[in-house]
Amino acid sequence: MTKAKGFMALACLLGAALSAFGPARASDVDYGKPGDPIHLQVGYQPYYSEAWSGAVIDGLALWKKYLPAGSTVDFNIGLQGSIIVNAMLAGKESIGYLGDMPAIVATTKRQVGDLRIVAAIGLGYDECNVIFVRNDAPRFVNADEAVAWLDGKTVASPKGSCADRFARAVFEKKHVNPTSYLNQSIEVITSGFRAGKLDGAVLWEPTATRLVEGSLARRIGAGNNFDERDGAFIDMRADLIQQRPDVVKGWLEAELEAEQYLADPKNAVSVAELAQAQTTGFQKHELWRALFGEYSAEEGGAPVRLTLPFELTAPALEHIKKATAFLFSIKSIDTPELPSDAVLPELTTDILKEHGLTAPVGEIKAQPESAFR
Amino acid sequence: MSVAQPDRPLLAETLTQWAEAFRRPTLYLAVLGYALMLGFWYLTVQVLKLPRFSQMPALTDVMREWTSRDPAYGVSIFTPIYYQHILVSLRRIAIAFALATSLGVPVGLLLGWSKAFRDYVFPLFEMLRPIPILAWVPLAIIMLPGDELPVVYLTFLASFFATALNTMLGVKSIDPAYVLAAQCLGASRWRIFAEVIVPGALPFIFTGLQISIGVAWFSLVAAEMISGQFGLGYLINTSYTTVEYPTLVIAMFTLGIVGYSTSALVRRVGEGLMTWRTRQLAMDGRG
Amino acid sequence: MNASQVPRGALSLQDVVKIYDPDGSNVMAVDHCSLKVEAGEICMIVGPSGCGKTSLLNAIAGFHDIDRGSIRLDGEVLCGPDRRQAPIGPDRVVVFQNGALFPWKTNLENIAFGPIAQGRLSRAEARDKARAMMAEAGLSGYENDYPGQVSSGLRRRVEIVRALINDPAVLLLDEPYRALDALTKSVLHESLLEIYYKTRKTIFFITHDLEEAIFLGHRVVVMTSRPCRPKRIFDVDIPHPRDYGVLTSKRFREIAAEVAEAVNEEALKSFTRGEREG
């Protein structure tokens, strides 16, 4: 039995050695004292237009104005919100720009990491919730008919995303049952449409516009047609909030400025340029149209593309509540309601008050084609 | 005096071996090994709560989820979908492995045996071999029809290369004296291939097959990224994006168990086909 | 195995030259070697390690070519100026130093391999003949064992039967008992002689073991160090049939002393030249 004892002793020694590195509480990160320069890791999604305020903060370096002198920020691209959530839970990123489903899921994993929703950065109906069918599908009278056609077909969406939540909500509402509901990433879906293997897909912008402009698939509906919102949020690690309220406030100030920049229609093309500099494989026009362009009513388009609440407004909170209940019903999370402190509205409310502003801080209306120059 | 044993049917021999295993200490040491690992996990994550370790899914959470009648994330030993994932993966492995073997062994034999074949084919072979599976994904989706074929193809690739390479090395490792002896005894080139080269390379081929089935399982996880709906690799990938860690660990464990069984099966078939080697190793005390 | 058949297996080597060319260094292994082996003779070849004895055997077997000279078997040219490499065939079967029984075939299958491969016998016939020959050689009971299951001494005997079943003109033995212990060797010597008395095959036997050479052979050919050619040929005038009692006889000791002296001279030469092990 001495071998077993020896092994246990070694394991304990190893564990003790590992615990010598790192802060006192097991899973906390150490950010320093208020006022110290900070080295922030931020997860953001330039491939998700509803969360482009993050791209604006990066592109215009707005954070420099609001964080302590000497701070640095690493902007880490996440191709999907859930990748950012995993990184935040592991303590590798402290601030995340997320779609509604990952933003909510992130707050239900306290035993792994304590994340909170601190701001609502976008509410819309067709920034995440966009439905596609293959090009050679029959012509449909309306979105309802198109979705009904997907019954018994092969549909794909990246699982764990706001698009996934929307797809499943619509299927449930309309009693539609695809034979295969595939979990595929955006690239695999794009290849799938190209190779004619998919009947339908649900994706977010700007990939949605790329499919349209590349004639790879046909857009037949969006959240507008089914009274289903989509939303984007900022989540932060609780330890950052507790240790560095100065940094949290500074970041949210930068976020406010970014949203105001987005809200100004004159900046539309420049936003598209910023996004293009941070992505690959997209034309500037595709990026512009994703957030600022028009889509017809048949395609599920509407005059308002995005509302910028900044604060956790009543519609934003309502959306979170509804989505949480739905996610629980499909066994994505293990609780029907979020803990009461999972959402922290006061952080943004206080900032708006100081600036004498009310929510929403802006609205992005669809611009005609002629506005793109 | 001869020590020949009557040739018992494979099944009877396997069952007898299993029964005997309970009498030998090896089985209990293996169990002890697993218990120590689980104990380490429990200790570091739930009792000592060491940094980085404490964020891992807890052993008790995983076990509870795995054995729950109504699992929080929908996958446990009581849910049919769990077995569907296992069967879909097994089916893909079986097809990919069968293809990799039936193509890899002949290609490997030819590469080892025929200089002309080797001159033409080996450079191409060696250039394709290092290309990782993920690089093949877009081509696989576009080139191959349907949804299953790309997944099976991606699983098949690394397996094929492992089998072919090991087979080739097996042929080259054959003591030239055997070939010379066969020639002395008047064997034609074809007979030498069939009765000397193939059986002579068989031990290496089976080592290659054991490696190849393991490689098939690695590849499966990457390949199932594009599969979309079922499979243990799919489950692992999806549990990551949906942040369902207990399910992730369940899928990993399941994959380990199923993978182990398939490797053991391959090994057993090899031992059956090469009784001469099993008995020789037994004579040397290495059985 | 009719002893009154016309004797076969007379080997005639004339002026054989073999040059190896590893990396252009032109190593001569066999230097104008001429030798005549009579049909039905046991001809023992001894010499220092690395002197080129195995090259001679390989040339006779057809495993490689010769650069000059010729080799004849019963008057027919095996290799010469027109054809540099002898064909490999069952008339000159080799028994290898480390043994080349196919480990994946049983002893019986190994022995039956030759006749089946040459198309001379059907599978059933070949197996019957193999069984009979094993019985005659005292190997009954080991038919269905694999070579890996039996002792190395037994393996050698099986390998010799595997060669004999093909009725070769010459048995080429390349230090077949080198890796065996003295006790096993002595048993194998007697068994080889038994086989010889029954079959009267020509045996071309390379060895290091001087006692083995003198005990078994009609003649012992001592080769020079590399490049090899016959230095001295000793007639072993001890009458056949021989048994182990012969080892202690006076004549045996005398011949042994002479052979040892001749070999030693050559061994010293190759030692000082630092030759690689043959």
Side-chain angles (χ1 to χ4, degrees):
Chain A
M1 263 314 171
T2 35
K3 269 198 187 160
K5 282 204 192 130
F7 184 98
M8 289 305 266
L10 184 65
C12 289
L13 213 65
L14 199 69
L18 282 174
S19 60
F21 301 100
R25 250 182 68 193
S27 53
D28 266 4
V29 180
D30 183 12
Y31 299 102
K33 293 184 312 305
D36 288 350
I38 189 167
H39 306 291
L40 265 185
Q41 297 290 339
V42 174
Y44 82 128
Q45 300 190 56
Y47 292 93
Y48 173 39
S49 50
E50 200 159 19
W52 268 351
S53 51
V56 170
I57 295 180
D58 185 12
L60 300 178
L62 295 176
W63 54 273
K64 284 205 180 120
K65 288 197 260 184
Y66 301 100
L67 294 183
S71 300
T72 61
V73 176
D74 270 342
F75 282 88
N76 302 293
I77 298 181
L79 291 173
Q80 207 180 313
S82 42
I83 296 171
I84 298 176
V85 170
N86 277 301
M88 289 178 75
L89 289 172
K92 297 188 157 68
E93 288 165 12
S94 324
I95 298 179
Y97 281 74
L98 307 167
D100 50 42
M101 182 167 172
I104 292 169
V105 169
T107 62
T108 61
K109 310 291 175 193
R110 289 231 182 142
Q111 71 272 34
V112 185
D114 191 348
L115 306 183
R116 312 292 178 92
I117 300 177
V118 302
I121 62 177
L123 280 178
Y125 284 95
D126 70 346
E127 286 300 314
C128 189
N129 299 350
V130 188
I131 310 182
F132 287 87
V133 296
R134 59 196 304 150
N135 276 333
D136 55 2
R139 290 270 146 205
F140 301 112
V141 167
N142 55 27
D144 273 359
E145 199 182 280
V147 166
W149 180 79
L150 289 174
D151 191 47
K153 302 282 189 308
T154 303
V155 182
S157 184
K159 202 159 178 197
S161 65
C162 48
D164 175 31
R165 183 199 54 76
F166 169 63
R168 297 213 262 183
V170 169
F171 292 150
E172 204 180 85
K173 244 187 213 176
K174 296 292 167 185
H175 308 292
V176 167
N177 233 323
T179 26
S180 309
Y181 181 57
L182 305 175
N183 172 22
Q184 296 184 334
S185 63
I186 327 180
E187 315 82 60
V188 176
I189 291 178
T190 309
S191 301
F193 271 131
R194 228 191 276 272
K197 295 190 184 182
L198 286 176
D199 296 314
V202 184
L203 296 168
W204 54 88
E205 292 284 14
T207 307
T209 297
R210 180 160 67 163
L211 287 179
V212 168
E213 304 224 330
S215 301
L216 292 169
R218 209 187 335 138
R219 174 174 158 156
I220 51 91
N224 292 307
N225 305 93
F226 302 95
D227 192 27
E228 283 284 338
R229 282 199 137 96
D230 51 46
F233 300 87
I234 295 180
D235 279 24
M236 288 190 187
R237 281 184 61 95
D239 51 20
L240 178 72
I241 300 172
Q242 274 150 21
Q243 292 178 32
R244 300 299 301 264
D246 59 325
V247 168
V248 170
K249 181 164 189 298
W251 189 270
L252 290 173
E253 293 272 5
E255 173 65 28
L256 178 61
E257 196 177 320
E259 288 186 32
Q260 289 170 325
Y261 189 85
L262 278 175
D264 187 343
K266 292 198 299 305
N267 294 327
V269 176
S270 125
V271 169
E273 280 165 5
L274 278 175
Q276 195 179 31
Q278 294 171 37
T279 55
T280 53
F282 279 90
Q283 312 280 2
K284 189 160 71 169
H285 182 263
E286 287 167 352
L287 297 169
W288 173 85
R289 192 177 177 193
L291 191 53
F292 302 102
E294 275 180 329
Y295 276 96
S296 67
E298 292 88 60
E299 291 165 314
V304 175
R305 294 304 304 272
L306 193 67
T307 307
L308 301 155
F310 181 69
E311 198 182 58
L312 284 146
T313 55
L317 292 171
E318 180 57 38
H319 180 61
I320 291 175
K321 189 148 171 269
K322 231 178 95 180
T324 304
F326 181 70
L327 290 176
F328 174 70
S329 74
I330 60 172
K331 287 190 172 248
S332 275
I333 54 179
D334 56 3
T335 165
E337 264 175 28
L338 297 183
S340 52
D341 57 355
V343 181
L344 301 174
E346 32 323 328
L347 295 169
T348 44
T349 308
D350 289 347
I351 293 179
L352 280 186
K353 265 206 210 105
E354 277 174 35
H355 285 259
L357 296 169
T358 52
V361 305
E363 211 176 57
I364 298 178
K365 293 203 180 56
Q367 297 180 18
E369 207 31 58
S370 50
F372 178 71
R373 257 169 313 220
Chain B
M1 271 308 116
S2 165
V3 288
Q5 282 169 340
D7 278 315
R8 281 188 290 185
L10 200 63
L11 181 62
E13 193 143 337
T14 313
L15 289 176
T16 328
Q17 276 185 7
W18 281 357
E20 273 180 27
F22 281 98
R23 272 190 270 135
R24 277 187 266 128
T26 330
L27 179 72
Y28 300 104
L29 288 177
V31 171
L32 182 65
Y34 289 134
L36 281 178
M37 186 207 62
L38 293 176
F40 177 74
W41 177 8
Y42 179 71
L43 197 74
T44 51
V45 174
Q46 292 179 258
V47 178
L48 297 178
K49 291 204 178 54
L50 300 176
R52 306 240 64 96
F53 280 96
S54 65
Q55 293 165 287
M56 298 239 301
L59 175 65
T60 45
D61 285 347
V62 172
M63 288 304 164
R64 200 180 321 123
E65 179 81 354
W66 204 355
T67 54
S68 156
R69 284 187 183 277
D70 183 25
Y73 302 110
V75 175
S76 78
I77 56 178
F78 292 104
T79 55
I81 196 166
Y82 178 62
Y83 299 100
Q84 199 168 5
H85 285 308
I86 295 176
L87 284 172
V88 167
S89 283
L90 269 177
R91 194 188 68 221
R92 288 169 179 156
I93 290 279
I95 299 174
F97 183 70
L99 277 174
T101 305
S102 50
L103 280 176
V105 171
V107 168
L109 286 173
L110 282 172
L111 280 174
W113 180 231
S114 156
K115 185 173 190 305
F117 189 80
R118 187 161 59 245
D119 287 342
Y120 279 120
V121 175
F122 196 59
L124 180 66
F125 180 89
E126 281 293 274
M127 207 178 67
L128 290 175
R129 188 161 66 95
I131 300 178
I133 300 202
L134 294 182
W136 280 100
V137 167
L139 279 184
I141 298 179
I142 295 177
M143 278 188 324
L144 298 167
D147 294 314
E148 270 307 286
L149 213 50
V151 180
V152 171
Y153 171 70
L154 293 170
T155 311
F156 148 90
L157 265 178
S159 237
F160 165 76
F161 284 115
T163 303
L165 198 68
N166 272 287
T167 304
M168 182 185 90
L169 293 173
V171 172
K172 293 187 130 185
S173 74
I174 295 175
D175 190 342
Y178 294 130
V179 179
L180 291 174
Q183 286 178 309
C184 271
L185 293 168
S188 66
R189 205 168 146 78
W190 167 244
R191 187 179 292 272
I192 294 179
F193 183 77
E195 294 193 43
V196 177
I197 300 295
V198 172
L202 221 48
F204 260 81
I205 293 178
F206 265 92
T207 308
L209 288 183
Q210 285 181 67
I211 294 174
S212 143
I213 188 132
V215 164
W217 281 104
F218 295 166
S219 314
L220 184 77
V221 178
E224 283 186 340
M225 259 175 35
I226 64 168
S227 79
Q229 228 178 344
F230 296 111
L232 290 171
Y234 161 80
L235 194 59
I236 290 175
N237 287 317
T238 306
S239 308
Y240 176 63
T241 55
T242 54
V243 199
E244 292 167 13
Y245 294 146
T247 312
L248 183 83
V249 179
I250 291 173
M252 284 172 67
F253 271 2
T254 310
L255 197 141
I257 294 171
V258 180
Y260 181 28
S261 317
T262 51
S263 292
L265 187 66
V266 171
R267 191 163 35 244
R268 198 66 196 79
V269 171
E271 283 169 13
L273 286 181
M274 294 187 291
T275 41
W276 58 267
R277 191 168 153 81
T278 332
R279 291 182 191 168
Q280 179 177 350
L281 291 173
M283 278 279 290
D284 298 339
R286 278 156 56 200
Chain C
M1 267 121 340
N2 195 339
S4 63
Q5 276 178 318
V6 174
R8 297 150 63 217
L11 277 173
S12 164
L13 287 80
Q14 273 168 328
D15 237 19
V16 174
V17 175
K18 174 65 189 170
I19 300 174
Y20 285 113
D21 189 10
D23 314 323
S25 55
N26 267 8
V27 178
M28 188 185 270
V30 180
D31 178 20
H32 297 92
C33 171
S34 294
L35 180 64
K36 274 197 171 40
V37 178
E38 279 174 32
E41 175 188 342
I42 302 181
C43 181
M44 308 297 292
I45 312 288
V46 302
S49 313
C51 74
K53 327 190 278 289
T54 302
S55 302
L56 268 184
L57 184 142
N58 286 344
I60 299 172
F63 294 158
H64 62 61
D65 60 4
I66 56 175
D67 293 291
R68 243 180 285 164
S70 67
I71 302 181
R72 275 170 234 265
L73 175 64
D74 292 327
E76 308 267 316
V77 173
L78 284 179
C79 51
D82 296 327
R83 195 233 311 256
R84 293 286 195 82
Q85 187 161 350
I88 304 180
D91 53 343
R92 287 153 288 130
V93 185
V94 177
V95 176
F96 293 83
Q97 204 173 94
N98 294 317
L101 281 182
F102 306 127
W104 46 86
K105 288 185 182 292
T106 60
N107 292 328
L108 187 77
E109 288 165 350
N110 262 287
I111 294 172
F113 183 80
I116 296 175
Q118 295 152 47
R120 286 194 293 118
L121 295 176
S122 75
R123 194 154 171 269
E125 287 170 342
R127 290 168 75 95
D128 285 336
K129 183 163 182 195
R131 201 164 289 129
M133 287 189 74
M134 282 184 83
E136 232 186 285
L139 296 168
S140 289
Y142 295 102
E143 292 90 347
N144 293 323
D145 287 333
Y146 289 98
Q149 282 176 274
V150 299
S151 67
S152 38
L154 208 119
R155 282 205 286 273
R156 283 290 176 285
R157 288 162 63 192
V158 173
E159 201 164 343
I160 291 183
V161 177
R162 180 173 82 168
L164 283 174
I165 195 174
N166 303 287
D167 196 25
V170 186
L171 261 183
L172 298 169
L173 301 170
D174 187 357
E175 301 190 61
Y177 305 138
R178 180 176 177 159
L180 301 172
D181 61 87
L183 294 176
T184 315
K185 265 203 209 187
S186 60
V187 172
L188 291 176
H189 290 160
E190 299 208 309
S191 114
L192 183 65
L193 284 182
E194 238 184 81
I195 290 174
Y196 172 72
Y197 296 144
K198 283 196 201 138
T199 63
R200 294 284 157 180
K201 292 291 174 197
T202 312
I203 299 181
F204 186 88
F205 194 131
I206 297 180
T207 180
H208 274 141
D209 184 342
L210 302 187
E211 283 202 357
E212 178 174 71
I214 302 169
F215 178 65
L216 291 174
H218 289 107
R219 288 191 303 161
V220 176
V221 180
V222 176
M223 293 290 186
T224 58
S225 59
R226 192 168 64 198
C228 79
R229 82 160 76 82
K231 177 193 169 82
R232 270 188 72 179
I233 303 185
F234 293 89
D235 268 312
V236 182
D237 52 9
I238 300 173
H240 280 278
R242 302 174 187 167
D243 63 37
Y244 248 73
V246 148
L247 281 177
T248 44
S249 72
K250 183 162 166 256
R251 187 66 191 124
F252 188 91
R253 293 284 129 215
E254 282 168 10
I255 301 175
E258 287 176 54
V259 172
E261 199 191 314
V263 172
N264 246 26
E265 245 177 62
E266 294 306 311
L268 234 78
K269 276 191 215 159
S270 62
F271 182 74
T272 49
R273 250 185 289 152
E275 238 130 35
R276 219 169 59 88
E277 263 292 307

